[in-house]
Structure formats: structure tokens, C-alpha cells
Amino acid sequence: MRFTYCPHCGTKLVKKEIGDEGRIPYCEKCKVPLWDMFTTSVICAVFNEYQEIALLRQDYVSKTSYVCVAGVMKIGESAEETVIREVKEELGLDVEQLQFIKTFPYDKKEMLMIGYMACVKKADFTLSSEVDSAEWVSVKDAPEKLKKGSIAWQLVQKAVNDML
């Protein structure tokens, strides 16, 4: 989100030099700088003990490619808590181990995606209403089912390389 008006008082913002940050939108009435904001979310490659990855199909995201578990962080929630909640909500599985992998800026949606690898016990999925289908895919076949270059594809590639 890029601010034009102050969200506190509604005054039109001016650009003001703020230290080494450069010219930042600034409210002269409230005396506060207002940096551009982005949504913070998580994305997670969910692995089981057989070196398979849970890939999801969400038609509202793509009708041709699979995706990884992902979701927006709620206020007061840590990134790790968000991953655990999203894996439970979307797949019905409990995270046993969690490892940070990398952050991914997603400019198209003004998001920062925090990437994780989660380990779960293999089980049948209990899907949320936002997931059309999910399947366990072998580590070697997973990249082919993801959109090449996508954040999910990058995450799976990095997680698999880190595992090996």
C-alpha cells in the first residue's frame, strides 16, 4: 500500500527527507512518516517422512499449476504460528518440525512471503473450502507440477537442495 493521505487524520501527505531513508510520505499534521506497506504472508513446502511434498490445487490461483500452502499473517501471530495454522486449515495436518528457508518479495501483490519447510506425518488430507484438491508428490516430480519460476517453485527447489 502506498499512502497518499494520512490514515490517522486524512490530510494529504507531503514528501519529507527522513534521515537516510530518502523522501518519505509525511503527515505534517500528525508529524509522522508513513512508509509504504506490504502484506506479510507465509508460504510452506510441506514434506512427509517419505520425501513427498503436499501440493495443492486452488482454481482461484491457477487451473493448470499446483501451489504450496500459503496464507496471510494475522495481527498478533508469528510467522511460525501462521504456518502451523495454515497447514492445519488447508490440509488438516499437524506440523511436527518447521524450518525457515527464505523470504520472497512478491511485488505483483505487494506482499512479502516468508518461506518455510514443514515436516508432517503422511496422512489423508482434510481440505479447507479454499483448496480444490491436494496430493502427495515425490520430491523429484514436484517442480514439474509447479509454475516454473513461481515463488512456490523457488521454495521447493531451495528446500529440496537444503535437504540433500
Side-chain angles (χ1 to χ4, degrees), residues 48-60:
N48 66 30
E49 67 272 29
Y50 303 104
Q51 292 198 335
E52 296 171 316
I53 302 173
L55 295 182
L56 291 64
R57 178 68 57 68
Q58 293 174 300
D59 289 345
Y60 76 93

Side-chain angles (χ1 to χ4, degrees), residues 42 59 69 71 79 91 93 156:
V42 298
D59 289 345
V69 170
L91 299 175
L93 301 174
V156 167

Side-chain angles (χ1 to χ4, degrees), residues 67-123:
V67 295
C68 291
V69 170
V72 174
M73 288 176 60
K74 294 180 179 179
I75 292 175
E77 190 175 54
S78 71
E80 294 80 8
E81 290 166 336
T82 304
V83 170
I84 291 165
R85 176 180 54 77
E86 288 290 341
V87 171
K88 186 68 167 180
E89 285 176 3
E90 293 186 4
L91 299 175
L93 301 174
D94 294 316
V95 172
E96 294 190 343
Q97 291 181 333
L98 189 58
Q99 178 183 336
F100 169 76
I101 300 294
K102 179 182 175 185
T103 59
F104 301 89
Y106 188 15
D107 294 336
K108 181 178 167 185
K109 294 207 176 184
E110 294 184 345
M111 290 181 133
L112 175 66
M113 300 191 85
I114 305 171
Y116 285 89
M117 177 174 71
C119 297
V120 301
K121 290 272 188 233
K122 185 173 184 175

Side-chain angles (χ1 to χ4, degrees), residues 34-67:
L34 295 155
W35 280 268
D36 293 336
M37 295 175 60
F38 51 84
T39 302
T40 307
S41 61
V42 298
I43 185 166
C44 183
V46 178
F47 290 82
N48 66 30
E49 67 272 29
Y50 303 104
Q51 292 198 335
E52 296 171 316
I53 302 173
L55 295 182
L56 291 64
R57 178 68 57 68
Q58 293 174 300
D59 289 345
Y60 76 93
V61 175
S62 173
K63 292 190 185 290
T64 58
S65 298
Y66 285 82
V67 295

